[in-house]
Amino acid sequence: MIYLDNAATTKMFEKGAEIYKEYACHSFFNPSANYSQAIAIAKELDSARGVLFNKLGASKGQMIFTSGATESNNLAIMGGRRNGKWEYVFSMGEHPSVYNAGKELERQGFIVHFVGLQPNGQIDYRQLESVVNEKTRLISVMHVSNETGAINDLTLVDKIRKQHCPKALLHIDGVQAFCKLDFSVDDFSADFYTISAHKFHGPKGVGALYVRNINDIKPIVFGGGQEGGYRSGTENVGGIMAMKYAVESIDICKNFEKVCKLKEIMTAILSQNNVISIINDGNFSPYILSVSFAGVNGETLMRKLQDNGVVVGMGSACSAKKSGNRILESMGKVKEEIKSHIRISFNEFLSENEVENAGKIILQTYQELWEKVK
Ligand code: PMP
């Protein structure tokens, strides 16, 4: 099998799994307890915080461990909410864990703006500029789209914020960017930045939220006061330590170069058929390739590919079961393109040969399906 759905999840590092086992079976102490073994674990968690912090290039702030990006996003948005006449701004491209939190704020009576996307998948900066104002409490824009790989210009988003609503908080869902792109959260003065371990060879069910000023959030889960009171519940120690290992092991720039080459190979193969439309007009992550195969149904193609040994995605696994596609629609894609869309996503361990083979299989499988429907 050639696995090309790495934006949905990645294979965990073997060594990370060993580390997890060590903390599950041997160093299993509760980091909130008072004896020395437990205190040592709490210190190790703090060292993991430091590692994440450094990788994010943050000059100040805190790192709160969570159960993954869905929780981190909810903590930033629902925990960052304030009562009163505040307004909230989201892009139409956001993952459901952000978009639906925005919808919930709307149900709670807040004014919420959903800003559309440009045809290249980035947020419409002009529209953003037109909706923000001195009542804006929070702007939430993802770093890299999990659907298309489009990279938002966060420096520009920050500039718009500073110009029109300097008091507004900026939340970035960085799930598809962290450990993949070389950046610092200080580049765009992010107040919150969301991380999920299973997108970079860490375990599922663990992540973090970077918070610049802790006074900007309130907890949304109440209990024993772990994570400084901002996220109660015993920490997933093994998961956090395996995530720390993944962060330390990843060489962002080296992987970036390698994955660029893989995407190039796939793009060149698929471009041989001129009715295949590849979304690549703009600034995109090399890890994600979004493609529409004219005339065939994306889901049918995905299943045939699976039979032929190539696993691809159909966009966000969390929304794959829903009909329609809010993100591609917002980019102005027509129904036909949306129906025939698949997402191919890479990791740094794939060989050029594997990607070349997968590309040929995708092309051939499409051509066979096309022959049947035309
Ligand atoms: N945001 C983005 C951009 C994602 O791609 C995902 C995973 N599909 C999530 C949030 C949710 O992550 P998690 O599985 O850690 O809750």
Side-chain angles (χ1 to χ4, degrees):
M1 173 196 59
I2 306 176
Y3 178 72
L4 297 178
D5 196 19
N6 292 277
T9 198
T10 57
K11 184 171 176 251
M12 200 172 153
F13 286 134
E14 299 276 340
K15 175 83 176 137
E18 281 168 28
I19 290 172
Y20 186 95
K21 191 173 172 203
E22 162 63 27
Y23 284 92
C25 301
H26 301 287
S27 305
F28 57 83
F29 310 98
N30 188 326
S32 298
N34 286 332
Y35 33 86
S36 61
Q37 295 92 330
I39 292 166
I41 299 291
K43 277 198 183 135
E44 298 208 34
L45 290 188
D46 282 341
S47 96
R49 270 181 241 287
V51 167
L52 263 66
F53 211 77
N54 284 344
K55 201 76 157 191
L56 272 177
S59 58
K60 60 175 278 207
Q62 293 193 28
M63 196 63 72
I64 300 173
F65 293 124
T66 65
S67 64
T70 298
E71 187 188 332
S72 297
N73 285 339
N74 273 269
L75 177 57
I77 296 161
M78 306 314 273
R81 156 193 59 168
R82 289 291 174 270
N83 289 333
K85 290 201 177 311
W86 291 104
E87 299 185 8
Y88 295 81
V89 180
F90 300 87
S91 96
M92 278 301 283
E94 298 303 306
H95 183 268
S97 55
V98 170
Y99 182 77
N100 288 332
K103 285 279 166 197
E104 175 58 24
L105 288 177
E106 204 171 45
R107 268 190 294 274
Q108 291 179 4
F110 291 101
I111 294 174
V112 181
H113 304 274
F114 291 98
V115 177
L117 303 178
Q118 301 176 56
N120 67 9
Q122 293 180 40
I123 186 171
D124 184 331
Y125 303 104
R126 281 207 188 147
Q127 202 184 332
L128 174 66
E129 199 163 9
S130 72
V131 302
V132 292
N133 60 67
E134 71 283 356
K135 289 190 273 212
T136 306
R137 164 75 187 167
L138 178 118
I139 302 170
S140 186
V141 178
M142 70 207 312
H143 200 160
V144 170
S145 164
N146 53 300
E147 194 84 25
T148 62
I151 304 175
N152 280 308
D153 183 345
L154 298 179
T155 319
L156 180 55
V157 170
D158 182 36
K159 198 170 152 203
I160 293 171
R161 161 178 67 156
K162 284 184 176 134
Q163 220 165 37
H164 301 277
C165 49
K167 285 198 193 131
L169 302 170
L170 180 59
H171 167 241
I172 308 297
D173 176 348
V175 168
Q176 303 289 347
F178 181 68
C179 278
K180 294 180 182 353
L181 303 186
D182 188 23
F183 68 93
S184 149
V185 282
D186 286 353
D187 296 344
F188 34 84
S189 321
D191 295 291
F192 305 124
Y193 196 94
T194 291
I195 292 168
S196 176
H198 72 105
K199 309 290 180 167
F200 53 89
H201 311 291
K204 293 170 185 57
V206 57
L209 181 70
Y210 161 76
V211 181
R212 186 170 294 270
N213 285 311
I214 203 67
N215 294 334
D216 287 332
I217 55 161
K218 290 185 176 151
I220 56 171
V221 174
F222 299 91
Q226 289 90 342
E227 296 300 293
Y230 290 94
R231 196 279 188 178
S232 284
T234 305
E235 288 90 348
N236 176 354
V237 175
I240 293 166
M241 297 313 286
M243 168 163 70
K244 175 193 178 202
Y245 172 78
V247 173
E248 278 176 322
S249 311
I250 286 172
D251 181 335
I252 295 175
C253 296
K254 191 167 139 225
N255 293 349
F256 187 88
E257 231 173 79
K258 180 157 189 220
V259 174
C260 276
K261 181 79 189 138
L262 300 179
K263 187 173 183 176
E264 244 171 55
I265 292 170
M266 181 61 77
T267 307
I269 294 172
L270 299 183
S271 304
Q272 287 167 22
N273 186 324
N274 60 11
V275 295
I276 297 177
S277 92
I278 298 171
I279 306 181
N280 64 354
D281 184 18
N283 191 16
F284 287 90
S285 162
Y287 285 85
I288 299 176
L289 181 65
S290 195
V291 198
S292 287
F293 292 82
V296 309
N297 183 292
E299 192 166 347
T300 313
L301 177 60
M302 182 201 75
R303 292 193 196 291
K304 269 268 172 258
L305 284 173
Q306 186 188 301
D307 295 343
N308 294 341
V310 177
V311 174
V312 297
M314 294 211 37
S316 168
C318 313
S319 60
K321 291 193 179 73
K322 295 211 178 118
S323 62
N325 184 315
R326 144 175 66 80
I327 296 158
L328 297 177
E329 277 165 19
S330 182
M331 289 164 64
K333 298 283 169 212
V334 295
K335 228 179 181 168
E336 269 316 304
E337 270 178 296
I338 295 173
K339 259 173 57 188
S340 65
H341 169 261
I342 65 165
R343 179 185 68 184
I344 299 168
S345 49
F346 306 99
N347 72 61
E348 64 276 25
F349 298 109
L350 286 157
S351 70
E352 294 185 7
N353 241 342
E354 276 176 306
V355 172
E356 195 178 329
N357 285 342
K360 286 179 186 158
I361 293 170
I362 296 171
L363 194 60
Q364 176 151 9
T365 307
Y366 166 62
Q367 278 160 351
E368 283 165 14
L369 279 176
W370 171 242
E371 286 301 320
K372 280 193 198 148
V373 293
K374 80 170 181 190

